[in-house]
Amino acid sequence: MTSVTDVSPARPAFRLTRAFWGIERLVVPALLIAGWEAFARSGMLPPALLPAPSAVLHALGDWVFGFDETTQSYSGHWLRDALASALRVFGGFALASLFGILAGVAIGWSRLFEKTLEPTLQMLRPIPPVSWIPLAIIWFGIADKPAIFLVFLGAFFPVLMNSIHGVKTVDHNLVRAGAMMGANSRQMLTDIVLPAALPSIFAGLRIAVGSAWMLTVTAEMVAVKSGLGYVLWDSYYFLRYDIVLAAMISIGLLGYLSDLGLKAIMARTLRWQQTTTVQGRAG
Amino acid sequence: MAAIELRNIVKVFSDKRRGRDLLTLDNINLDIEANDFVCLLGPSGCGKSTLLNIIAGFEQATSGRTLVDGKQVERPGSDRGVVFQQPTLMPWLTAIDNIAFHLKLKGVAKAERYDRAMEFIDLVGLRGFEHHHPSEMSGGMNQRVGIARALLMNPSVILMDEPFAALDAQTKLEMQEELVAIWQKRRCTIVFVTHSVDEALVLGNKIVVMTRRPGRIREAVNFDLPRPRDITSPEFNDAKRHILALIREESTRLAQAS
Ligand SMILES: Nc1ncnc2c1ncn2[C@@H]1O[C@H](COP(=O)(O)OP(=O)(O)OP(=O)(O)O)[C@@H](O)[C@H]1O
Ligand SMILES: [Mg+2]
């Protein structure tokens, strides 16, 4: 069999652009790191205050693999520290997602919840989660719980706001179409309003996972004696800026990975939406 | 007993932002018999969609009574299939899932749902696209999914709001023929809103001409030309001339009034 028309695009050019995009992603970070290394070696600042990337990499390597104990008591303990932070992020984020979506959908869907629940929540929202630290410490002591509580506070409101918005902005005509096809009010919620609100809910979850990492680290700097944030703050007291930077990089990396994971789940769940976005399947 | 009875329907939209009320439908009285194919004809903004929404149960009339099969309309229901002016499909469902959505709500198993929906996929000529999402299909294809979705419920009344407006001339002709065939086979009552005099005359056996807003019924014309209709026949043209005269009269009356 031979096909009449060849619909495949010009492959070589396509591959070239793909390769170019791969490289282009690395250009900016590479330039930044090279400039930083050069500046650190120029001696304009003492190396203790601005460690070179190579020194930070060294510290990070030892923290992870423990090869020469340059990071002293942290040597080889990265996994333990990262896991401690990640568990707090996960715990707080999971709770915030659960309650944020439940409360958001309830408020968006029912006038009763909107009137009774929303004003209180909206008054709590402007209070910075960090300002809860003193209370969190008296209530929960110094351990995982105050950190999870703080993460919850930081992650809850983005999920709540976006869930409310998602439910409230569901196309009126879809609800009509559902009623026309005989949906009862439970089906209206589960089969029409929830799926229609999902893109907005996911947008909230992605903002929330970022807040979750920020607040875990904040909590660990003040109210907890383990995790990446604790290492960061502790090394600051010992003037180990290389470890401070290694901790910052670890946090950035883990935060980025969490977002990638969430994005992958979102892409799977919202596959129907992909062709309608400006960027299409790329990105 | 007529299939649809509209008694003294008045609809006023209260425009809170501008602080005044908008009289949209002014005392509509209409009897639609079972198995009628009624075409509702009128200028843009005269309240055709509003009237359809009242029959569908999406909107409540400000005053007056709406009866379908002798029962007062209170809410939407699957006894009245609606084809919306915009397709309004669930964007997260594929074509076949959209068409079978009514069955899903009733708890019918997936295999049977798909089995029944395939018949309607074929009917509207969408075989090969059953697993496409609305965003992957053209506007006209989506509109056809919307039509299939309403037909699958096998409703006694089908309300269609300019369903073919987004279609090309060729597809429109095919769909018009298909719709007439379905109507002849199933013997359901259809209320079909359109702007086009030709379309109304090709489809309907009763053509209801509405006035400019506030919408009133100018005249309900019975039109029993046998099918398939020849749009070049003298009978067709006589009817067309009559309806165009009604519309023209309406616009000159308006011009004189202003
Ligand atoms: N929900 C609403 N609130 C306020 N006014 C409305 C509403 N829906 C319709 N109207 C008004 O009622 C009038 C009739 O609207 P309708 O949609 O029924 O017109 P139509 O005859 O279907 O027009 P078209 O042919 O352009 O679709 C319009 O003047 C419109 O502004
Ligand atoms: Mg309309």
Side-chain angles (χ1 to χ4, degrees), chain B residues 82-132:
Chain B
V82 180
V83 179
F84 293 81
Q85 199 164 359
Q86 258 76 49
T88 54
L89 306 175
M90 312 297 160
W92 56 90
L93 296 179
T94 57
I96 195 162
D97 280 323
N98 264 297
I99 293 173
F101 194 68
H102 167 65
L103 299 175
K104 177 160 189 243
L105 294 174
K106 286 209 307 187
V108 175
K110 188 165 179 170
E112 195 193 331
R113 281 202 315 257
Y114 277 23
D115 216 41
R116 301 238 327 250
M118 270 324 277
E119 182 194 326
F120 291 89
I121 290 263
D122 284 337
L123 187 74
V124 294
L126 284 176
R127 184 169 276 266
F129 290 93
E130 56 267 28
H131 297 301
H132 281 54

Short mmCIF file of all heavy atoms in Angstrom, two decimals, chain B residues 82-132:
data_model
loop_
_atom_site.label_atom_id
_atom_site.label_comp_id
_atom_site.label_asym_id
_atom_site.label_seq_id
_atom_site.Cartn_x
_atom_site.Cartn_y
_atom_site.Cartn_z
N VAL B 82 -33.58 20.10 24.42
CA VAL B 82 -33.26 21.45 23.95
C VAL B 82 -31.96 21.41 23.15
O VAL B 82 -30.98 20.82 23.58
CB VAL B 82 -33.09 22.42 25.14
CG1 VAL B 82 -32.76 23.82 24.65
CG2 VAL B 82 -34.36 22.45 25.99
N VAL B 83 -31.98 22.03 21.99
CA VAL B 83 -30.73 22.26 21.24
C VAL B 83 -30.46 23.75 21.36
O VAL B 83 -31.23 24.58 20.88
CB VAL B 83 -30.87 21.85 19.77
CG1 VAL B 83 -29.57 22.12 19.03
CG2 VAL B 83 -31.25 20.38 19.67
N PHE B 84 -29.36 24.08 22.03
CA PHE B 84 -29.09 25.47 22.38
C PHE B 84 -28.57 26.26 21.18
O PHE B 84 -28.05 25.69 20.21
CB PHE B 84 -28.06 25.53 23.50
CG PHE B 84 -28.56 24.99 24.81
CD1 PHE B 84 -28.59 23.62 25.04
CD2 PHE B 84 -29.00 25.83 25.80
CE1 PHE B 84 -29.05 23.11 26.25
CE2 PHE B 84 -29.47 25.34 27.00
CZ PHE B 84 -29.50 23.98 27.23
N GLN B 85 -28.69 27.59 21.30
CA GLN B 85 -28.19 28.46 20.24
C GLN B 85 -26.67 28.29 20.09
O GLN B 85 -26.15 28.24 18.99
CB GLN B 85 -28.55 29.92 20.56
CG GLN B 85 -28.50 30.84 19.36
CD GLN B 85 -29.24 32.15 19.60
OE1 GLN B 85 -29.79 32.40 20.66
NE2 GLN B 85 -29.23 33.00 18.59
N GLN B 86 -25.96 28.20 21.24
CA GLN B 86 -24.56 27.78 21.23
C GLN B 86 -24.55 26.30 21.62
O GLN B 86 -25.42 25.88 22.37
CB GLN B 86 -23.76 28.59 22.25
CG GLN B 86 -22.91 29.70 21.64
CD GLN B 86 -23.75 30.89 21.24
OE1 GLN B 86 -24.54 31.36 22.02
NE2 GLN B 86 -23.58 31.36 20.01
N PRO B 87 -23.55 25.52 21.14
CA PRO B 87 -23.63 24.07 21.38
C PRO B 87 -23.70 23.68 22.87
O PRO B 87 -24.39 22.71 23.19
CB PRO B 87 -22.35 23.54 20.75
CG PRO B 87 -21.97 24.55 19.72
CD PRO B 87 -22.44 25.86 20.25
N THR B 88 -23.01 24.39 23.77
CA THR B 88 -23.00 24.08 25.21
C THR B 88 -22.85 22.59 25.50
O THR B 88 -23.67 21.99 26.18
CB THR B 88 -24.26 24.58 25.95
OG1 THR B 88 -25.41 24.08 25.31
CG2 THR B 88 -24.30 26.07 26.02
N LEU B 89 -21.77 22.01 24.97
CA LEU B 89 -21.42 20.63 25.32
C LEU B 89 -20.52 20.68 26.54
O LEU B 89 -19.90 21.70 26.82
CB LEU B 89 -20.69 19.98 24.16
CG LEU B 89 -21.41 20.02 22.83
CD1 LEU B 89 -20.51 19.44 21.74
CD2 LEU B 89 -22.72 19.27 22.89
N MET B 90 -20.46 19.54 27.25
CA MET B 90 -19.50 19.45 28.35
C MET B 90 -18.10 19.32 27.72
O MET B 90 -17.82 18.32 27.06
CB MET B 90 -19.77 18.23 29.23
CG MET B 90 -21.22 18.05 29.64
SD MET B 90 -21.80 19.40 30.67
CE MET B 90 -23.57 19.23 30.48
N PRO B 91 -17.24 20.32 27.93
CA PRO B 91 -15.96 20.29 27.21
C PRO B 91 -15.05 19.14 27.63
O PRO B 91 -14.13 18.79 26.91
CB PRO B 91 -15.32 21.65 27.53
CG PRO B 91 -16.05 22.17 28.69
CD PRO B 91 -17.41 21.55 28.70
N TRP B 92 -15.29 18.55 28.81
CA TRP B 92 -14.41 17.48 29.28
C TRP B 92 -14.87 16.11 28.78
O TRP B 92 -14.23 15.11 29.05
CB TRP B 92 -14.31 17.48 30.80
CG TRP B 92 -15.65 17.38 31.48
CD1 TRP B 92 -16.29 16.25 31.85
CD2 TRP B 92 -16.50 18.46 31.85
NE1 TRP B 92 -17.49 16.55 32.41
CE2 TRP B 92 -17.64 17.91 32.44
CE3 TRP B 92 -16.39 19.86 31.74
CZ2 TRP B 92 -18.69 18.70 32.91
CZ3 TRP B 92 -17.43 20.62 32.21
CH2 TRP B 92 -18.56 20.05 32.78
N LEU B 93 -16.00 16.07 28.10
CA LEU B 93 -16.50 14.78 27.60
C LEU B 93 -16.29 14.68 26.09
O LEU B 93 -16.34 15.69 25.39
CB LEU B 93 -17.99 14.63 27.90
CG LEU B 93 -18.41 14.58 29.37
CD1 LEU B 93 -19.91 14.44 29.48
CD2 LEU B 93 -17.71 13.43 30.09
N THR B 94 -16.07 13.44 25.62
CA THR B 94 -15.95 13.24 24.18
C THR B 94 -17.34 13.33 23.56
O THR B 94 -18.35 13.37 24.26
CB THR B 94 -15.36 11.85 23.90
OG1 THR B 94 -16.20 10.89 24.53
CG2 THR B 94 -13.95 11.74 24.44
N ALA B 95 -17.37 13.34 22.23
CA ALA B 95 -18.65 13.45 21.51
C ALA B 95 -19.63 12.39 22.00
O ALA B 95 -20.78 12.69 22.34
CB ALA B 95 -18.41 13.34 20.01
N ILE B 96 -19.15 11.15 22.06
CA ILE B 96 -20.07 10.07 22.40
C ILE B 96 -20.54 10.18 23.86
O ILE B 96 -21.70 9.92 24.18
CB ILE B 96 -19.42 8.69 22.10
CG1 ILE B 96 -20.49 7.60 22.11
CG2 ILE B 96 -18.31 8.34 23.08
CD1 ILE B 96 -20.06 6.33 21.42
N ASP B 97 -19.64 10.62 24.73
CA ASP B 97 -20.04 10.79 26.13
C ASP B 97 -21.01 11.94 26.30
O ASP B 97 -21.90 11.90 27.16
CB ASP B 97 -18.81 11.02 27.01
CG ASP B 97 -18.09 9.72 27.33
OD1 ASP B 97 -18.79 8.71 27.53
OD2 ASP B 97 -16.85 9.71 27.37
N ASN B 98 -20.84 12.99 25.49
CA ASN B 98 -21.80 14.08 25.52
C ASN B 98 -23.18 13.61 25.07
O ASN B 98 -24.19 13.94 25.69
CB ASN B 98 -21.33 15.22 24.62
CG ASN B 98 -20.60 16.30 25.40
OD1 ASN B 98 -21.17 16.93 26.27
ND2 ASN B 98 -19.32 16.47 25.10
N ILE B 99 -23.17 12.83 24.00
CA ILE B 99 -24.46 12.36 23.46
C ILE B 99 -25.15 11.43 24.46
O ILE B 99 -26.36 11.47 24.64
CB ILE B 99 -24.24 11.68 22.09
CG1 ILE B 99 -23.78 12.73 21.07
CG2 ILE B 99 -25.51 10.98 21.61
CD1 ILE B 99 -23.37 12.17 19.75
N ALA B 100 -24.34 10.62 25.15
CA ALA B 100 -24.92 9.62 26.06
C ALA B 100 -25.05 10.14 27.49
O ALA B 100 -25.37 9.37 28.39
CB ALA B 100 -24.06 8.36 26.04
N PHE B 101 -24.82 11.42 27.68
CA PHE B 101 -24.80 11.95 29.06
C PHE B 101 -26.11 11.70 29.80
O PHE B 101 -26.12 11.36 30.98
CB PHE B 101 -24.51 13.46 28.99
CG PHE B 101 -24.13 14.07 30.31
CD1 PHE B 101 -22.94 13.74 30.93
CD2 PHE B 101 -24.97 14.98 30.94
CE1 PHE B 101 -22.58 14.31 32.14
CE2 PHE B 101 -24.63 15.55 32.16
CZ PHE B 101 -23.43 15.21 32.76
N HIS B 102 -27.21 11.84 29.08
CA HIS B 102 -28.52 11.60 29.70
C HIS B 102 -28.60 10.17 30.24
O HIS B 102 -29.10 9.95 31.35
CB HIS B 102 -29.61 11.83 28.65
CG HIS B 102 -30.96 11.34 29.03
ND1 HIS B 102 -31.67 11.87 30.08
CD2 HIS B 102 -31.74 10.35 28.52
CE1 HIS B 102 -32.83 11.23 30.19
NE2 HIS B 102 -32.88 10.30 29.25
N LEU B 103 -28.06 9.21 29.49
CA LEU B 103 -28.10 7.81 29.94
C LEU B 103 -27.19 7.62 31.15
O LEU B 103 -27.51 6.85 32.06
CB LEU B 103 -27.66 6.88 28.81
CG LEU B 103 -28.54 6.93 27.55
CD1 LEU B 103 -27.95 6.07 26.46
CD2 LEU B 103 -29.95 6.48 27.89
N LYS B 104 -26.06 8.32 31.15
CA LYS B 104 -25.15 8.21 32.29
C LYS B 104 -25.86 8.70 33.55
O LYS B 104 -25.78 8.08 34.61
CB LYS B 104 -23.90 9.03 32.04
CG LYS B 104 -22.97 9.00 33.22
CD LYS B 104 -21.56 9.37 32.84
CE LYS B 104 -20.65 9.09 34.01
NZ LYS B 104 -20.01 10.29 34.53
N LEU B 105 -26.58 9.82 33.43
CA LEU B 105 -27.29 10.35 34.59
C LEU B 105 -28.35 9.36 35.08
O LEU B 105 -28.67 9.32 36.26
CB LEU B 105 -27.96 11.69 34.23
CG LEU B 105 -27.02 12.85 33.92
CD1 LEU B 105 -27.79 14.06 33.45
CD2 LEU B 105 -26.17 13.21 35.14
N LYS B 106 -28.87 8.57 34.15
CA LYS B 106 -29.87 7.59 34.55
C LYS B 106 -29.25 6.30 35.06
O LYS B 106 -29.97 5.37 35.44
CB LYS B 106 -30.79 7.26 33.36
CG LYS B 106 -31.76 8.39 33.06
CD LYS B 106 -33.06 7.90 32.43
CE LYS B 106 -32.81 7.04 31.20
NZ LYS B 106 -34.07 6.71 30.51
N GLY B 107 -27.90 6.23 35.02
CA GLY B 107 -27.22 5.06 35.56
C GLY B 107 -27.15 3.87 34.61
O GLY B 107 -26.96 2.74 35.04
N VAL B 108 -27.26 4.14 33.30
CA VAL B 108 -27.16 3.05 32.32
C VAL B 108 -25.68 2.66 32.16
O VAL B 108 -24.80 3.51 32.18
CB VAL B 108 -27.73 3.51 30.96
CG1 VAL B 108 -27.53 2.46 29.89
CG2 VAL B 108 -29.20 3.87 31.11
N ALA B 109 -25.42 1.35 32.04
CA ALA B 109 -24.04 0.87 31.93
C ALA B 109 -23.37 1.37 30.65
O ALA B 109 -24.04 1.63 29.65
CB ALA B 109 -24.02 -0.66 31.96
N LYS B 110 -22.03 1.49 30.72
CA LYS B 110 -21.28 2.13 29.65
C LYS B 110 -21.48 1.45 28.28
O LYS B 110 -21.70 2.12 27.28
CB LYS B 110 -19.80 2.12 30.02
CG LYS B 110 -18.94 2.92 29.09
CD LYS B 110 -17.58 3.15 29.72
CE LYS B 110 -16.71 3.95 28.76
NZ LYS B 110 -15.48 4.41 29.41
N ALA B 111 -21.45 0.14 28.27
CA ALA B 111 -21.56 -0.58 26.99
C ALA B 111 -22.89 -0.23 26.31
O ALA B 111 -22.93 0.07 25.11
CB ALA B 111 -21.45 -2.08 27.23
N GLU B 112 -23.94 -0.23 27.08
CA GLU B 112 -25.25 0.06 26.49
C GLU B 112 -25.36 1.52 26.07
O GLU B 112 -25.91 1.85 25.03
CB GLU B 112 -26.36 -0.28 27.50
CG GLU B 112 -27.73 -0.34 26.85
CD GLU B 112 -28.87 -0.35 27.85
OE1 GLU B 112 -28.66 -0.85 28.97
OE2 GLU B 112 -29.96 0.16 27.49
N ARG B 113 -24.77 2.40 26.92
CA ARG B 113 -24.75 3.83 26.58
C ARG B 113 -24.12 4.05 25.22
O ARG B 113 -24.68 4.72 24.36
CB ARG B 113 -23.90 4.58 27.60
CG ARG B 113 -24.56 4.86 28.87
CD ARG B 113 -23.95 6.01 29.65
NE ARG B 113 -22.52 6.10 29.78
CZ ARG B 113 -21.84 5.78 30.88
NH1 ARG B 113 -22.46 5.26 31.91
NH2 ARG B 113 -20.53 5.94 30.95
N TYR B 114 -22.94 3.45 25.04
CA TYR B 114 -22.20 3.66 23.79
C TYR B 114 -22.95 3.05 22.62
O TYR B 114 -22.97 3.60 21.53
CB TYR B 114 -20.79 3.08 23.92
CG TYR B 114 -19.84 4.01 24.61
CD1 TYR B 114 -20.31 5.01 25.46
CD2 TYR B 114 -18.47 3.92 24.41
CE1 TYR B 114 -19.45 5.87 26.10
CE2 TYR B 114 -17.59 4.78 25.05
CZ TYR B 114 -18.08 5.75 25.89
OH TYR B 114 -17.22 6.62 26.51
N ASP B 115 -23.56 1.91 22.89
CA ASP B 115 -24.33 1.25 21.85
C ASP B 115 -25.43 2.16 21.33
O ASP B 115 -25.59 2.36 20.13
CB ASP B 115 -24.94 -0.02 22.48
CG ASP B 115 -24.98 -1.14 21.48
OD1 ASP B 115 -23.97 -1.27 20.74
OD2 ASP B 115 -26.00 -1.85 21.44
N ARG B 116 -26.17 2.73 22.26
CA ARG B 116 -27.29 3.60 21.86
C ARG B 116 -26.79 4.89 21.25
O ARG B 116 -27.38 5.41 20.30
CB ARG B 116 -28.17 3.92 23.08
CG ARG B 116 -28.76 2.69 23.74
CD ARG B 116 -30.27 2.66 23.81
NE ARG B 116 -30.96 3.92 23.96
CZ ARG B 116 -31.60 4.29 25.06
NH1 ARG B 116 -31.59 3.52 26.13
NH2 ARG B 116 -32.24 5.43 25.09
N ALA B 117 -25.68 5.43 21.78
CA ALA B 117 -25.19 6.71 21.27
C ALA B 117 -24.64 6.57 19.84
O ALA B 117 -24.74 7.50 19.04
CB ALA B 117 -24.12 7.27 22.19
N MET B 118 -24.08 5.40 19.52
CA MET B 118 -23.50 5.21 18.19
C MET B 118 -24.53 5.43 17.09
O MET B 118 -24.24 5.98 16.04
CB MET B 118 -22.89 3.81 18.05
CG MET B 118 -21.43 3.69 18.44
SD MET B 118 -20.38 5.10 18.02
CE MET B 118 -20.00 4.76 16.32
N GLU B 119 -25.75 5.00 17.37
CA GLU B 119 -26.83 5.18 16.40
C GLU B 119 -26.99 6.67 16.05
O GLU B 119 -27.18 7.04 14.89
CB GLU B 119 -28.11 4.64 17.04
CG GLU B 119 -29.34 4.69 16.20
CD GLU B 119 -30.59 4.43 17.05
OE1 GLU B 119 -30.50 3.63 18.02
OE2 GLU B 119 -31.61 5.04 16.77
N PHE B 120 -26.85 7.52 17.08
CA PHE B 120 -27.05 8.95 16.86
C PHE B 120 -25.80 9.60 16.27
O PHE B 120 -25.89 10.58 15.54
CB PHE B 120 -27.47 9.63 18.16
CG PHE B 120 -28.85 9.22 18.57
CD1 PHE B 120 -29.04 8.11 19.36
CD2 PHE B 120 -29.95 9.90 18.10
CE1 PHE B 120 -30.31 7.70 19.71
CE2 PHE B 120 -31.23 9.51 18.44
CZ PHE B 120 -31.41 8.40 19.25
N ILE B 121 -24.62 9.03 16.60
CA ILE B 121 -23.38 9.48 15.95
C ILE B 121 -23.53 9.31 14.43
O ILE B 121 -23.22 10.21 13.65
CB ILE B 121 -22.18 8.64 16.46
CG1 ILE B 121 -21.87 8.98 17.91
CG2 ILE B 121 -20.98 8.82 15.54
CD1 ILE B 121 -20.78 9.98 18.12
N ASP B 122 -24.04 8.16 14.03
CA ASP B 122 -24.24 7.91 12.61
C ASP B 122 -25.29 8.84 12.03
O ASP B 122 -25.12 9.37 10.93
CB ASP B 122 -24.69 6.46 12.39
CG ASP B 122 -23.53 5.49 12.54
OD1 ASP B 122 -22.38 5.94 12.36
OD2 ASP B 122 -23.77 4.31 12.84
N LEU B 123 -26.33 9.05 12.78
CA LEU B 123 -27.43 9.88 12.32
C LEU B 123 -26.96 11.29 11.96
O LEU B 123 -27.37 11.86 10.96
CB LEU B 123 -28.50 9.95 13.41
CG LEU B 123 -29.80 10.64 13.03
CD1 LEU B 123 -30.59 9.73 12.11
CD2 LEU B 123 -30.61 10.97 14.26
N VAL B 124 -26.07 11.85 12.78
CA VAL B 124 -25.61 13.22 12.51
C VAL B 124 -24.28 13.22 11.75
O VAL B 124 -23.65 14.25 11.61
CB VAL B 124 -25.47 14.05 13.81
CG1 VAL B 124 -26.83 14.26 14.44
CG2 VAL B 124 -24.51 13.39 14.79
N GLY B 125 -23.87 12.04 11.28
CA GLY B 125 -22.69 11.97 10.41
C GLY B 125 -21.38 12.28 11.10
O GLY B 125 -20.53 12.96 10.55
N LEU B 126 -21.20 11.77 12.31
CA LEU B 126 -19.97 12.05 13.02
C LEU B 126 -19.15 10.78 13.29
O LEU B 126 -18.29 10.78 14.17
CB LEU B 126 -20.26 12.77 14.35
CG LEU B 126 -20.63 14.24 14.22
CD1 LEU B 126 -20.99 14.83 15.56
CD2 LEU B 126 -19.51 15.04 13.60
N ARG B 127 -19.41 9.71 12.55
CA ARG B 127 -18.63 8.49 12.76
C ARG B 127 -17.15 8.80 12.52
O ARG B 127 -16.81 9.51 11.58
CB ARG B 127 -19.10 7.37 11.84
CG ARG B 127 -18.38 6.06 12.10
CD ARG B 127 -19.05 4.92 11.37
NE ARG B 127 -20.19 4.38 12.11
CZ ARG B 127 -20.08 3.32 12.93
NH1 ARG B 127 -18.92 2.74 13.12
NH2 ARG B 127 -21.14 2.87 13.56
N GLY B 128 -16.32 8.30 13.40
CA GLY B 128 -14.89 8.60 13.32
C GLY B 128 -14.50 9.73 14.26
O GLY B 128 -13.32 9.93 14.54
N PHE B 129 -15.48 10.46 14.74
CA PHE B 129 -15.18 11.56 15.67
C PHE B 129 -15.76 11.31 17.05
O PHE B 129 -15.79 12.21 17.88
CB PHE B 129 -15.72 12.88 15.12
CG PHE B 129 -14.97 13.38 13.92
CD1 PHE B 129 -15.39 13.07 12.65
CD2 PHE B 129 -13.82 14.12 14.09
CE1 PHE B 129 -14.68 13.49 11.54
CE2 PHE B 129 -13.10 14.56 12.99
CZ PHE B 129 -13.53 14.24 11.71
N GLU B 130 -16.23 10.07 17.28
CA GLU B 130 -16.95 9.83 18.54
C GLU B 130 -16.07 10.03 19.77
O GLU B 130 -16.56 10.37 20.83
CB GLU B 130 -17.61 8.45 18.54
CG GLU B 130 -16.70 7.26 18.30
CD GLU B 130 -16.63 6.88 16.82
OE1 GLU B 130 -16.82 7.77 15.98
OE2 GLU B 130 -16.37 5.70 16.51
N HIS B 131 -14.74 9.87 19.61
CA HIS B 131 -13.89 10.04 20.79
C HIS B 131 -13.14 11.37 20.77
O HIS B 131 -12.12 11.53 21.45
CB HIS B 131 -12.93 8.86 20.92
CG HIS B 131 -13.66 7.57 21.14
ND1 HIS B 131 -14.51 7.39 22.22
CD2 HIS B 131 -13.74 6.44 20.41
CE1 HIS B 131 -15.05 6.19 22.14
NE2 HIS B 131 -14.61 5.59 21.05
N HIS B 132 -13.64 12.32 19.99
CA HIS B 132 -13.04 13.66 19.99
C HIS B 132 -13.71 14.53 21.04
O HIS B 132 -14.91 14.42 21.29
CB HIS B 132 -13.22 14.32 18.63
CG HIS B 132 -12.24 13.82 17.61
ND1 HIS B 132 -12.09 12.49 17.31
CD2 HIS B 132 -11.36 14.49 16.83
CE1 HIS B 132 -11.16 12.35 16.38
NE2 HIS B 132 -10.70 13.55 16.07
#
